[in-house]
Amino acid sequence: MSVRPLRVGNASGFYGDRFAAMREMLDGGELDVLTGDYLAELTMLILGRDRLKDPARGYARTFLRQLEECLGGALERGVRIVTNAGGLNPAGLAERVRALAAELGVPARVAHVEGDDLVARAGELGLGAPIAANAYLGAWGIAACLREGADIVVTGRVTDASLVVGPAAAHFGWGPQEHDALAGAVVAGHVIECGTQATGGNYPFFADLQRDGHDLTRPGFPIAEILPDGSSVITKHPGTGGAVTVGTVTAQLVYEIAGPRYPGPDVTARLDTVRLEQQGPDRVRISGVRGEAPPPGLKVVCNGMTGFANEMTVVLTGLDVEAKAALVETQLRSALAGREPAHLSFRLTGHGDPDAETQQGAGRHLRIVARDTDPRKVGRAFSATAVELALATCPGFHATSPPGDARPDGLSIHVASVPADLVPHVAVLPDGTRLDIAPASVTRPLAELPAPAPPPPPPAGPTRSVPLGLLFGARSGDKGHDANVGVWAADDAAWSWLVHRLTVREFGRLLPETARLPVTRHVLPNLRAVNFVVEGLLAPGAGVNPRPDPQAKGLAEWLRGRRVEIPEVMVP
């Protein structure tokens, strides 16, 4: 069993991330393992469409192009590569990697993990008829491939953190019952899985980092130095941009989670036990993480196409904008009589001022979106009908684009749970041997933890109305139909205010769009954070919901911009 730290870097947080990151990470300093996370719920739909066009596709093709210029260097340095770029076709991508290695004349040992793809069994499992249905596998298939000497491991849909947990388990010889160590690696994996979000990217206090001398022009990608007990240090290569601070790590920790129990196929990590410590410049230690047996079921995400869509955006300027929008809607619905799409929405955005100094400032956008299962109802004829109104409608009418064709509509998401023993988990080793990976033998159903004792209430006295973001950081994102907003405080005084004042009711007051929906608040005292899960805000899914921010990435910044009453003694 090895006792030295394992240095795991990440070079991709999504399909479309910085192309040069793989080379930057390999050239920038010492690594043992380089991971690449290419998958998200929306990505699985994109890959599903690719597979419908060509059954040989269904994987992240960017990875191959990156590897073409990096494979030789990785093998020379002894860096092993673990990636979920296999998407819906890990076997196909693994074969392409072998062919690439042969073309380059390098002896790469390639393995892959499969079994997550349930689309052929969707009906028998009660999952409907999606174009993609994938269970979230764990880390043991990856670990088995690495133990058998793989240089490159390609997976399909595993949990994002498994890309880190698998190498750590193989390196340190952990077993399935070592829940605390596994949970520590899950937390490290969660921190680095989104790439530069851990090193200053998307950080709410980015201006503070800049004032402290950190260059955010091109943040470096993160590294987790994992220790034998599962604790870790988050860092980055020397001389790269960005910063690793308790704040940047906290921001990523509260991103797209739910409650204090963070479930996975191998372990449930207790996020309420996480402790962070700044050990030095760009070094944050994560310790104290406790783990529990995983739940008995595996998360399954099913993606489907809801039909076809088209849209037109019309600019309305000056006075009576609401009345102008109403006229456009009346005229367009009349013109489409008998062939109106099943779903036709009109959304007025912006806050134009008729007395603005510029014409752009005086305008607002009317976004018209049409959806139907029949592409003819939302094709070029639809958008042409909208443009035909130009000389017969409200004054100043103009569109932002010419008529366009229908496009396949985006994502409908159904999240389910399937018993783990119904999902195959197979490690296909470098020599072609197929090794079945058993599901967790000990499981524990998820249950809510009792609410922790709150700190003393904030001081009484005069208050001042200030933006919430003056004192508090926040980050938000999507989880299927739901939105997640994590909010944290930098010190104990602010934490006292946060936990007592930012209740579910106050959250709904500040963000009226959420007030009609079920909202759950979870408290994480060690991180001085609260996490809000807003159910249904993103329904029916990130690809098709009508919000201008369909993945809720800006929801946290809207919250931070809202004004609240803060005790004057706390205001900077």
Side-chain angles (χ1 to χ4, degrees):
M1 180 186 297
S2 176
V3 295
R4 70 176 182 84
L6 181 75
R7 283 177 60 89
V8 182
N10 180 33
S12 177
F14 68 100
Y15 192 9
D17 209 345
R18 188 191 306 168
F19 185 86
M22 184 181 291
R23 176 167 291 284
E24 291 173 7
M25 290 298 285
L26 289 170
D27 292 346
E30 181 185 354
L31 288 177
D32 296 305
V33 178
L34 184 61
T35 67
D37 179 9
Y38 292 80
L39 301 184
E41 290 165 348
L42 188 59
T43 311
M44 300 304 280
L45 176 71
I46 295 169
L47 297 179
R49 290 175 179 169
D50 284 350
R51 188 170 62 174
L52 288 175
K53 297 174 185 175
D54 181 354
R57 287 164 58 175
Y59 53 80
R61 288 173 286 170
T62 302
F63 173 74
L64 268 181
R65 292 193 290 116
Q66 292 172 301
L67 202 61
E68 186 173 358
E69 62 179 52
C70 294
L71 179 57
L75 295 178
E76 288 173 7
R77 296 174 175 88
V79 178
R80 301 165 105 176
I81 296 175
V82 180
T83 180
N84 60 16
L88 302 179
N89 188 7
L93 179 56
E95 189 56 39
R96 290 294 305 275
V97 172
R98 292 187 190 98
L100 175 62
E103 291 173 14
L104 297 175
V106 294
R109 292 166 294 183
V110 183
H112 75 273
V113 177
E114 63 185 33
D116 62 292
D117 191 346
L118 303 179
V119 71
R121 299 168 55 207
E124 69 177 86
L125 294 172
L127 302 174
I131 65 170
N134 296 84
Y136 282 65
L137 300 180
W140 295 111
I142 296 170
C145 293
L146 294 171
R147 286 171 178 152
E148 294 300 319
D151 300 306
I152 300 171
V153 182
V154 172
T155 79
R157 179 72 275 187
V158 297
T159 66
D160 298 342
S162 292
L163 302 177
V164 172
V165 179
H171 184 70
F172 296 116
W174 296 336
Q177 306 306 317
E178 295 185 59
H179 291 143
D180 289 350
L182 293 168
V186 165
V187 172
H190 178 57
V191 170
I192 73 169
E193 71 188 33
C194 289
T196 55
Q197 279 196 168
T199 61
N202 292 346
Y203 186 54
F205 299 115
F206 68 94
D208 292 345
L209 295 182
Q210 291 174 313
R211 280 192 293 269
D212 291 340
H214 298 288
D215 183 5
L216 298 182
T217 305
R218 194 176 179 87
F221 276 69
I223 298 167
E225 297 178 350
I226 303 174
L227 300 171
D229 65 353
S231 62
S232 62
V233 172
I234 306 300
T235 185
K236 62 187 183 69
H237 281 319
T240 56
V244 180
T245 69
V246 167
T248 67
V249 172
T250 299
Q252 179 57 25
L253 269 177
V254 301
Y255 177 65
E256 294 185 346
I257 61 171
R261 284 191 164 111
Y262 188 64
D266 305 315
V267 66
T268 293
R270 287 281 300 272
L271 298 181
D272 59 326
T273 64
V274 175
R275 295 191 179 278
L276 304 180
E277 176 191 358
Q278 192 80 43
Q279 280 201 329
D282 295 322
R283 293 184 65 81
V284 172
R285 175 171 166 76
I286 302 175
S287 64
V289 185
R290 300 294 303 275
E292 299 171 345
L298 297 184
K299 176 182 175 181
V300 179
V301 172
C302 302
N303 297 331
M305 286 173 51
T306 57
F308 298 85
N310 202 345
E311 67 179 78
M312 291 291 293
T313 298
V314 174
V315 182
L316 306 176
T317 307
L319 301 172
D320 305 320
V321 166
E322 288 80 5
K324 291 172 180 175
L327 176 58
V328 171
E329 179 174 355
T330 298
Q331 290 178 312
L332 184 56
R333 289 189 185 278
S334 176
L336 292 170
R339 53 189 178 93
E340 182 172 318
H343 302 280
L344 187 61
S345 65
F346 296 77
R347 187 183 183 97
L348 195 58
T349 64
H351 299 281
D353 178 7
D355 192 32
E357 296 287 338
T358 65
Q359 180 177 330
Q360 184 176 5
R364 296 178 68 182
H365 283 187
L366 178 64
R367 184 175 178 230
I368 308 168
V369 180
R371 291 190 166 95
D372 203 288
T373 55
D374 184 348
R376 294 169 298 180
K377 288 190 174 183
V378 294
R380 185 173 291 270
F382 155 75
S383 51
T385 300
V387 171
E388 286 174 359
L389 299 178
L391 303 184
T393 187
C394 61
F397 174 105
H398 59 282
T400 61
S401 63
D405 294 321
R407 66 180 188 276
D409 203 3
L411 178 67
S412 65
I413 297 176
H414 172 62
V415 180
S417 179
V418 170
D421 59 2
L422 296 183
V423 179
H425 185 174
V426 181
V428 184
L429 305 180
D431 64 358
T433 301
R434 298 177 65 84
L435 181 64
D436 290 330
I437 306 298
S441 59
V442 178
T443 62
R444 174 177 178 170
L446 281 180
E448 288 290 329
L449 286 167
T463 62
R464 185 184 306 174
S465 176
V466 299
L468 183 76
L470 187 65
L471 276 80
F472 301 99
R475 180 169 285 171
S476 57
D478 61 301
K479 278 292 184 184
H481 294 185
D482 304 337
N484 173 88
V485 185
V487 188
W488 72 92
D491 56 46
D492 289 339
W495 165 238
S496 174
W497 185 95
L498 180 66
V499 75
H500 284 280
R501 297 290 186 263
L502 193 57
T503 61
V504 168
R505 182 174 182 178
E506 177 68 357
F507 183 85
R509 184 189 71 82
L510 295 173
L511 304 184
E513 194 176 336
T514 72
R516 59 182 175 80
L517 300 170
V519 177
T520 304
R521 188 182 84 153
H522 302 282
V523 180
L524 301 168
N526 281 8
L527 300 176
R528 298 196 192 99
V530 293
N531 184 60
F532 295 90
V533 179
V534 186
E535 297 179 33
L537 182 69
L538 307 181
V544 295
N545 77 72
R547 300 185 76 251
D549 175 21
Q551 292 180 283
K553 301 299 185 184
L555 195 62
E557 286 303 292
W558 178 25
L559 178 65
R560 293 182 70 241
R562 299 287 281 162
R563 300 186 76 87
V564 293
E565 292 290 331
I566 298 283
E568 283 192 351
V569 295
M570 293 171 51
V571 177

